[in-house]
Each structure stands twice: as structure tokens, then as C-alpha cells.
Amino acid sequence: MFEFDASRPKWPQIVAEVRSRVASGLYVPGQRITATDLEIEFGVTRVTMGKAMAELRRLGVVRTEHGMGSFITGAFGEEK
């Protein structure tokens, strides 16, 4: 399981980890990811994962298509 820094909120740590996985090639463009799978992997609540997914979308790391799911874009997510 992922080791969180207890002095920081979890959702930004998840965002940083997903961005790192994109940068390293572990997550590839077009790969489908689900909040549910990430909730289980990181051991967090739906609310926490919702915050992380919203930030990943804002940064352009993930795009969500209604009825299809969320997909890695290939961008590392530059701050906007």
C-alpha cells in the first residue's frame, strides 16, 4: 500500500503519485483508470479520491468521458 506523509492531505499526494506514474510510463496515454480502483489501491475514501480526480482533470492529466470513464491523457499536468 502507498505510504502517505501524515503531515499533508492525502489527495495532493495521490495527484503527485499519478503524475509520477504518467511521467515514468507506468500509466500510458489512453489507459483507463477508475476512481474505485484507485480508492482501493490507496486505501482512501470516495471523497478523497474525488478531490484527487478533480485536480487531475484540472491539470489535464486525466480526461473523463461521460458514460465511458476516465483516461490518462499523457500530459504530466502543468499547473494552470
Side-chain angles (χ1 to χ4, degrees):
M1 185 173 286
F2 184 79
E3 294 284 331
F4 287 103
D5 175 351
S7 69
R8 297 176 42 224
K10 291 180 180 179
W11 70 266
Q13 294 179 70
I14 294 168
V15 170
E17 178 63 17
V18 171
R19 290 172 75 185
S20 174
R21 291 176 185 186
V22 172
S24 73
L26 186 60
Y27 289 169
V28 297
Q31 179 178 343
R32 186 171 186 262
I33 62 170
T34 69
T36 303
D37 288 344
L38 293 174
E39 286 169 26
I40 293 167
E41 177 182 351
F42 288 101
V44 296
T45 66
R46 182 171 296 182
V47 171
T48 299
M49 188 52 62
K51 289 178 182 179
M53 290 296 284
E55 181 67 1
L56 289 166
R57 281 191 297 274
R58 187 188 75 78
L59 293 169
V61 176
V62 170
R63 67 177 159 68
T64 301
E65 297 180 22
H66 183 70
M68 298 292 293
S70 297
F71 301 88
I72 298 296
T73 64
F76 300 125
E78 299 300 321
E79 290 295 325
K80 294 182 180 176

